[in-house]
Amino acid sequence: MFQTGKIARRALLGLALAGTLTVTQAGAEPRVLRVCASPDNLPFSNQREEGFENRIAQLIAEEMNASLSYTWHPQRRGFIRRTLKARLCDLVMGVPSSFEMVLPTRPYYASSYVFVTAKDRHLGLRSFDDPVLRTLRIGLHAIGDDGANPPPAHALARRNITANIRGYTMWDVDAAENPQARIIDAVASGEIDVAIVWGPLAGYFAKNRDLLVEPVSPSIEPPNLPFVYAISMGVRHEDAALKREVDSILERRRDDIDRILEEYGLPRVQIPGRAGPS
C-alpha cells in the first residue's frame, strides 16, 4: 500500500499512494509507459518488478502497445509532488479513489484494514470494541517521518487502548528487505498477539503461514474514520484523455487484474457500484 502509509496519510492528510505510471507518445516514436514506483514496497512494487502493481502496469503497457519504464522513488511525503506533478510520469497506481491530488481512474480493487492473528489462538477478533483487545499485545505500523498514524491507531485511542500497542516501522531504517513485513513476522513468532494492518500487505505476507486475516468492522467508524478504501490509478488533472484510456483497459482486462490480485493474496471487499469483490 505505499499502501499502509498511503492509506494512513489519505485518511489523515489527504495523501496515499502506491506507484506512478507515465505515458509518452511523440509522433511516430515508440510509445513508452513510464512508471514511478517505490523500489522496495512489496507486495505493491519493487525494483525487481515483483509486485502486483508491477504486473498490472505491464498489463496496461501491453494494452497500450507501449514499452514500460520505471522511475523509482520512495513513497514518502511529497511523492506525488516529486514524481507525477514533476512530470517524471503521467499515471500513478494505488491511490485511494477519493484522492484529490490526482484525477483518479475507476477503482480496480477495494480492501480493508484487517486483524492478523495466529490461527491456533482462536481469538475471533472482528471489532475494535472487542474487550479482549485491552489484554492483548497489539502491533501497528508506524507510518514514517510525518507523525501520521494509521486509522486503527485512532480507533484504539478513542477507546483508550494505548498502553499495549507496539509500533513497527514501514521503512528501511536498517536496509533490511521488506521491513513492512516485520509486524506479520511478530504475530507468527508470538512477539505480539495481533497486528492491525492494511489488507493487501497482510494478505501477501500472511499467505502460506498459519495466520488468520480478518477484516475489521465496521468499515467506517462514525463520524468519518474509514477502514475500507477503493483503490484507483491517478493522472494529472489535465490528463483526462489518459484517464479514459486507462479506465477502458481496467474494464477490458478486469478478469486478468482480478487474477493477479488473487495470486498475491489480497483480501478484497466490494467496490461501491460493482456486484462482487474487486
Side-chain angles (χ1 to χ4, degrees):
M1 188 163 80
F2 169 167
Q3 294 278 351
T4 299
K6 292 183 292 185
I7 292 299
R9 290 187 177 91
R10 173 63 190 89
L12 303 173
L13 305 173
L15 263 182
L17 304 175
T20 303
L21 301 176
T22 294
V23 177
T24 300
Q25 187 170 29
E29 294 295 320
R31 197 175 190 190
V32 177
L33 178 61
R34 300 177 301 154
V35 178
C36 295
S38 184
D40 182 19
N41 193 27
L42 286 179
F44 309 101
S45 65
N46 70 8
Q47 282 186 293
R48 295 193 291 271
E49 302 183 27
E50 297 170 326
F52 70 84
E53 289 181 346
N54 297 122
R55 295 270 303 277
I56 295 172
Q58 183 62 51
L59 179 152
I60 292 172
E62 291 170 359
E63 283 289 310
M64 290 178 168
N65 293 317
S67 60
L68 178 63
S69 68
Y70 284 97
T71 296
W72 302 106
H73 193 289
Q75 288 179 352
R76 305 287 194 277
R77 177 188 286 271
F79 179 86
I80 287 288
R81 174 173 52 82
R82 294 166 180 162
T83 57
L84 183 69
K85 290 186 177 295
R87 296 189 174 274
L88 297 180
C89 37
D90 300 317
L91 178 69
V92 297
M93 298 181 65
V95 299
S97 300
S98 57
F99 191 39
E100 295 175 353
M101 289 188 70
V102 302
L103 179 62
T105 67
R106 68 173 63 217
Y108 58 102
Y109 75 92
S111 191
S112 169
Y113 275 88
V114 296
F115 292 114
V116 182
T117 59
K119 289 181 180 177
D120 61 4
R121 295 289 305 276
H122 305 292
L123 293 174
L125 290 171
R126 295 298 300 271
S127 167
F128 289 102
D129 292 320
D130 193 322
V132 76
L133 278 175
R134 299 182 182 279
T135 69
L136 300 178
R137 296 164 296 172
I138 303 170
L140 299 178
H141 271 131
I143 296 305
D145 57 2
D146 60 5
N149 287 317
H154 292 267
L156 294 171
R158 289 177 177 180
R159 294 161 175 80
N160 294 317
I161 301 175
T162 57
N164 50 336
I165 293 176
R166 298 186 183 184
Y168 291 82
T169 181
M170 289 283 293
W171 314 121
D172 52 348
V173 292
D174 55 4
E177 188 171 16
N178 299 324
Q180 64 274 28
R182 288 176 182 145
I183 192 170
I184 305 301
D185 295 337
V187 177
S189 69
E191 180 178 308
I192 55 176
D193 300 306
V194 55
I196 311 175
V197 295
W198 177 230
L201 190 154
Y204 178 74
F205 287 111
K207 192 177 181 182
N208 301 322
R209 307 176 79 166
D210 202 23
L211 298 175
L212 189 64
V213 176
E214 291 287 345
V216 304
S217 65
S219 59
I220 300 177
E221 181 166 288
N224 188 27
L225 181 60
F227 302 106
V228 169
Y229 292 84
I231 301 299
S232 297
M233 303 176 191
V235 302
R236 285 180 291 275
H237 289 280
E238 63 269 28
D239 290 340
L242 177 57
K243 170 193 160 6
R244 288 193 295 271
E245 183 175 15
V246 175
D247 277 346
S248 177
I249 295 170
L250 292 175
E251 180 61 25
R252 189 163 62 248
R253 300 296 298 271
R254 173 182 167 184
D255 290 346
D256 296 310
I257 292 171
D258 285 349
R259 279 190 285 272
I260 292 172
L261 299 174
E262 184 69 23
E263 182 180 330
Y264 282 74
L266 268 68
R268 288 173 287 160
V269 300
Q270 183 172 335
I271 296 174
R274 184 177 288 183
S278 81

